[in-house]
Each structure stands twice: as C-alpha cells, then as structure tokens.
C-alpha cells in the first residue's frame, strides 16, 4: 500500500485516492477491475450489482486487509433510490451494468434496449447534476458492419484499411434493418453514447466512453447447466469452453467466417486503470480497447481452442471437432453479425500510451486451464447423473 500511495500519473503528479462507485462490479469485467484496484491501488470501491458470485473472494466478507476498501451493495439500478446516494458519495462512477450477450439481443430486445439505454439514463443524470466524473462502458458493436462488407467479396478495396479499420472519431455506425433485432443492443449503446457526449458538450459532464473489443479471460459469462441456465447461450468463449468440457463439437454459426480481434482481460484492465488515474487525458474521450494483432475468424478460434484444450486437459480431440449451424437455428429469427472488428489504436496510444501485450494463444491457454480446473469435475458429475437416470 505504501508503494501504491507514492504512485504517479502519466504527467508525474501524485495520484490521490479516489472513491469509485462501480455499477456492474459483479460481472466479468467488474470482477477483474475490482481485483486490480484492490491489489495495486489505494482507491475505495462501492461495488454495485445484483450478483456477487464473481467477487465473493473480495466482499463476502472482505478479507481483513480490504476492510474499508471495498463494500458490496446488492441493488438493481432499475428501481433503487440508494443509487443516487452512492454516486454522490463517490468521486467517479464506472457503469458496466448491461445485458450484453448476443443471444439476448434478438430474443429479448425490450430488456436489451431498457438495460443498455433507459437504465443507464439516471446514472448519467446523477453524474451530470452532481458534477461527478463518469466512465461508461459502451461496445465496439456501435460500429456495426464495416464499409467494406458492402463490396463484392472479391473486391480489391476490401483489403484497404480505410474500408475496415474502426476509428473512434471517423468511422460511421452501420447497422442492419429494424427486423434484424440483433442491432437493438448496438443502437441502444449508440444512443447512450450520444447522450453522454451531449451532456459533456452542453452541461460540462466529465466523461470517458470505453468501447471494448472482445475482452476475454477467466470468469467470463457462465457454463450452461453449471453456473448458469442449461438453455442459456453465453458469448463465444464460454460456448466453445462448454462444448470442449462436454466433448461436444463446437458449433460454427453461419460457417464461422466472421472475424474478431480478442484481447486478454488483464491487458484491457490496465487501460481502464490508466483512464481512472489520468482524468485530464481521458475526459471527453471515446477509447477503442482491443488488440488489433489478435485477429481470427470464428473458425480459426474454434481450431485454436480445440488444440489448446487438448494440451491443457490431455484429452484427444473428437474426430469431428466442429459442426456448422445456421444462425437461425442457433440464435433464432432476427440475428445478424458484425463481419470484422479491427480497432484503430491511435487515440488510446496518444492519450494513455497503452498497448495490448498478450498473444491470443497465450491467454487461451491461461483461460482454458482455468475453465478445465473450475468446471471439469462438476460437468463429469452432472453427465454421470444424467446417464445413470
Ligand atoms: P457481465 O454481464 O459479466 O457484467 C455486467 C454486470 O452488470 C453483471 O454482473 C450484471 O449482474 C450487472 N447488471 C446488469 N443489470 C443490472 C442492474 N439493473 N442493476 C445492477 N446490476 C446490473 O458483462 P461484462 O463482459 O463484464 O461487460 C461489462 C460492460 O462492458 C457491459 O456494458 C458490456 O456491454 C460492455 N462490453 C463488454 C465486452 C466484453 O468483451 N466483455 C464487449 C463489449 C462491451
Ligand atoms: N459464435 C459461434 N458459435 C458459438 C457462439 C458464437 O460461431 O457457439 C459466433 C457468433 O456468431 C459471432 C462470434 O462467434 O460471429 C462472436 O460471438 P460473441 O457471442 O462472443 O459476441 P460478439 O463478438 O458477436 O459480440
């Protein structure tokens, strides 16, 4: 703690301890951010969420050395008057709360829109009215599809970066038609970004908007039937982990041709800490946070995860490790997809000097080791019960 107290920001000024109201602190990103803040800083965290399982080790109860540093506040921000008080008591609010699993966007579009837009409104309002700084989590999905995706598949311009690299202050937001309800999430996130930006422009709100590009690692989402609903569909890392743990083929939606860039959660959290501790450099900014060097198609991701999991578990892969499935079968009516997501890193590099470090294969190894250790026994037990009955 003594070392943390002496730490300096990027301009050489000492960092004063902050009180942070973190909404959605019990989720995947929140749990890693809480751990980082507890381990490496002196900041105090009010952890707000409806769930606490992923931060149980920090709050239930707080270990002796963290007493007074972190407190858990179980509340639903949709309807709890305690929220305003917590924001008023904090220096900074970080809003992570959202429905953010694609399987929900076309099947629960109302919940998705309410969660990502309506429920975030009071948070923005309380920050603006009380002159409190806000770091709001948006998504890379606000870019939607690339310009190049509208060209014929063999068109040479598709290879030109101007046709696919996603820039915070230049790229348009390109969504599909309303019947493709997949875009309900992206559209709600876009509108809350515009509202926050306008609060900054008209009322002087000090804000930072984060656009995560597929952050992955331990504790992401849930394994269906173990720590989440058996019929639930999490994001791709957990879907593929679940298939590997159960020795089922990985399901490639519409051929697995979509491209993604994955970044290790621990690299990404470094970027968030820089934003927290360098307000002068982060306020008024929208930041892409991703790793442009880790691009794969979903099919390549499946191949890599199959190979890495075989090493980690010592199990020989299935003869047919993957199967194709249509998006209609997998997600239902109204699904659509982003074709390609390469973040431009110029702004975050210039403002915060941040660069991602970890190659995809390395953090797949770390993450699949965690998945195997955490879930394999539970899944074995569950599968033997099913086959016995
Ligand atoms: P997550 O689902 O693990 O975490 C969200 C947390 O918010 C959950 O713990 C949930 O219980 C909580 N929450 C939701 N509604 C709430 C409410 N009404 N009241 C209180 N708590 C509520 O998701 P995550 O991956 O940690 O994502 C956090 C944020 O980052 C989200 O806004 C998401 O849209 C954004 N994001 C993440 C990624 C990524 O790569 N992980 C990519 C794009 C955007
Ligand atoms: N996907 C897949 N099989 C699965 C789960 C997801 O092929 O079991 C695909 C999905 O269609 C998308 C990509 O993987 O093209 C990433 O999906 P994810 O849910 O992680 O979120 P997104 O990056 O689309 O926000």
């Amino acid at each position: 703690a003594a070392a943390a107290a002496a730490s300096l920001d990027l301009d050489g000024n000492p960092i004063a301890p902050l009180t942070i109201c973190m909404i959605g602190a019990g989720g995947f990103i929140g749990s890693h951010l809480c751990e980082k803040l507890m381990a490496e800083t002196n900041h105090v965290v009010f952890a707000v969420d409806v769930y606490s399982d992923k931060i149980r080790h920090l709050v239930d109860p707080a270990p002796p050395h963290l007493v007074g540093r972190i407190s858990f506040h179980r509340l639903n921000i949709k309807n709890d008057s305690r929220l305003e008080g917590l924001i008023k008591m904090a220096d900074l609010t970080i809003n992570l709360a959202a429905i953010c699993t694609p399987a929900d966007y076309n099947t629960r579009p109302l919940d998705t829109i309410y969660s990502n837009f309506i429920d975030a409104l009071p948070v923005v309002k309380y920050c603006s009215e009380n002159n409190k700084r806000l770091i709001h989590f948006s998504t890379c999905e606000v870019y939607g599809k690339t310009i190049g995706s509208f060209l014929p598949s063999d068109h040479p311009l598709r290879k030109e970066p101007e046709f696919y690299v996603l820039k915070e202050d230049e790229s348009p937001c390109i969504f599909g038609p309303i019947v493709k309800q997949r875009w309900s999430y992206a559209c709600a996130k876009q509108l809350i970004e515009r509202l926050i930006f306008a609060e900054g422009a008209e009322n002087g709100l000090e804000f930072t908007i984060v656009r995560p590009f597929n952050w992955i690692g331990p504790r992401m989402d849930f394994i269906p039937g173990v720590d989440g609903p058996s019929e639930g569909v999490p994001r791709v890392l957990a879907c593929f982990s679940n298939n590997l743990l159960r020795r089922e083929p990985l399901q490639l939606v519409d051929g697995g041709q979509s491209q993604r860039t994955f970044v290790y959660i621990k690299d990404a959290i470094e970027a968030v800490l820089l934003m927290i501790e360098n307000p002068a450099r982060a306020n008024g900014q929208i930041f892409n946070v991703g790793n442009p060097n880790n691009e794969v198609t979903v099919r390549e991701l499946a191949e890599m995860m199959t190979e890495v999991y075989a090493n980690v578990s010592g199990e020989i892969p299935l003869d047919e490790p993957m199967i194709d499935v249509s998006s209609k079968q997998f997600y239902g009516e109204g699904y659509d997809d982003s074709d390609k997501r390469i973040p431009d890193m110029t702004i975050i590099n210039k403002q915060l000097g941040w660069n991602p470090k970890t190659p995809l294969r390395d953090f797949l190894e770390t993450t699949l080791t965690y998945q195997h250790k955490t879930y394999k026994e539970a899944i074995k037990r569950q599968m033997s019960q099913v086959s016995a009955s």
Side-chain angles (χ1 to χ4, degrees):
S7 68
L8 303 176
D9 69 14
L10 293 171
D11 298 303
N13 304 310
I15 297 166
L18 298 167
T19 298
I20 301 170
C21 174
M22 194 193 301
I23 306 166
F28 163 59
I29 296 175
S31 71
H32 287 275
L33 187 53
C34 286
E35 271 183 2
K36 180 85 170 176
L37 290 166
M38 291 305 110
E40 294 179 23
T41 77
N42 285 328
H43 306 310
V44 168
V45 173
F46 303 150
V48 174
D49 206 304
V50 285
Y51 296 111
S52 56
D53 293 11
K54 295 182 185 188
I55 50 170
R56 201 184 287 146
H57 57 301
L58 300 175
V59 300
D60 191 18
H65 71 286
L66 294 182
V67 171
R69 293 277 320 283
I70 184 163
S71 54
F72 183 66
H73 305 263
R74 190 176 308 277
L75 59 93
N76 188 329
I77 63 163
K78 274 183 195 297
N79 48 32
D80 201 306
S81 57
R82 288 173 290 173
L83 179 66
E84 184 171 11
L86 290 170
I87 290 176
K88 278 186 179 170
M89 280 192 289
D91 304 299
L92 160 68
T93 293
I94 302 179
N95 190 7
L96 295 149
I99 288 177
C100 53
T101 34
D104 293 317
Y105 308 162
N106 60 314
T107 55
R108 298 169 57 205
L110 284 174
D111 287 341
T112 300
I113 294 166
Y114 272 79
S115 170
N116 284 283
F117 181 66
I118 306 286
D119 299 345
L121 283 175
V123 177
V124 180
K125 184 173 151 239
Y126 299 147
C127 288
S128 190
E129 286 173 356
N130 295 289
N131 298 311
K132 301 291 185 177
R133 196 179 161 219
L134 172 65
I135 298 181
H136 186 84
F137 274 71
S138 179
T139 171
C140 60
E141 212 164 303
V142 295
Y143 294 109
K145 299 182 184 237
T146 65
I147 305 173
S149 72
F150 295 90
L151 293 167
S153 58
D154 57 353
H155 200 286
L157 283 179
R158 278 196 152 204
K159 298 218 165 63
E160 296 297 322
E162 306 90 281
F163 286 79
Y164 63 81
V165 172
L166 304 170
K167 296 189 178 186
E168 296 94 330
D169 52 357
E170 285 180 27
S171 299
C173 302
I174 307 175
F175 305 153
I178 303 301
V179 289
K180 296 287 187 190
Q181 296 200 80
R182 158 69 188 239
W183 303 108
S184 57
Y185 168 76
C187 190
K189 287 282 204 196
Q190 184 192 166
L191 191 53
I192 198 73
E193 278 202 26
R194 290 191 186 276
L195 184 113
I196 291 167
F197 197 87
E199 279 290 346
E202 293 190 34
N203 295 328
L205 173 69
E206 294 185 334
F207 71 87
T208 303
I209 289 169
V210 186
R211 292 179 178 170
F213 280 64
N214 294 79
W215 300 8
I216 66 175
R219 292 198 294 266
M220 186 171 195
D221 297 339
F222 58 90
I223 296 298
V226 180
D227 54 4
S230 348
E231 300 308 310
V233 180
R235 285 170 283 187
V236 68
L237 174 82
C239 285
F240 286 175
S241 300
N242 183 41
N243 299 142
L244 291 165
L245 286 157
R246 295 178 192 276
R247 295 189 64 72
E248 297 165 353
L250 280 56
Q251 301 190 57
L252 299 179
V253 172
D254 293 339
Q257 290 313 298
S258 297
Q259 292 167 295
R260 294 289 187 272
T261 52
F262 293 93
V263 65
Y264 188 34
I265 182 70
K266 292 195 190 291
D267 289 356
I269 289 294
E270 299 267 354
V272 182
L273 185 58
L274 286 166
M275 293 174 206
I276 293 172
E277 297 190 331
N278 292 276
R281 289 164 177 261
N283 283 344
Q285 298 290 340
I286 300 176
F287 290 119
N288 287 343
V289 181
N291 188 335
N293 305 318
N294 280 340
E295 189 181 36
V296 282
T297 63
V298 173
R299 179 179 292 276
E300 287 164 346
L301 175 74
E303 288 165 356
M304 209 186 270
M305 285 181 66
T306 301
E307 208 182 296
V308 170
Y309 188 73
N311 289 337
V312 162
S313 66
E315 295 169 15
I316 298 157
L318 302 175
D319 290 339
E320 283 184 57
M322 287 157 232
I323 50 164
D324 284 327
V325 52
S326 74
S327 57
K328 198 171 163 190
Q329 269 175 292
F330 192 84
Y331 289 112
E333 207 68 64
Y335 182 76
D336 199 356
D337 208 353
S338 296
D339 53 302
K340 186 175 174 75
R341 289 186 183 152
I342 306 259
D344 185 270
M345 294 277 92
T346 311
I347 295 182
I348 192 156
N349 219 296
K350 175 164 171 271
Q351 296 300 117
L352 303 174
W354 178 82
N355 280 303
K357 296 186 281 247
T358 318
L360 178 58
R361 186 176 290 271
D362 292 5
F363 60 83
L364 285 180
E365 205 175 290
T366 314
T367 306
L368 288 174
T369 303
Y370 171 88
Q371 303 287 54
H372 185 69
K373 270 197 201 143
T374 310
Y375 294 109
K376 188 66 191 185
E377 287 309 312
I379 283 182
K380 264 194 210 157
R381 274 198 301 279
Q382 190 194 44
M383 289 174 78
S384 68
Q385 276 163 9
V386 172
S387 61
S389 61

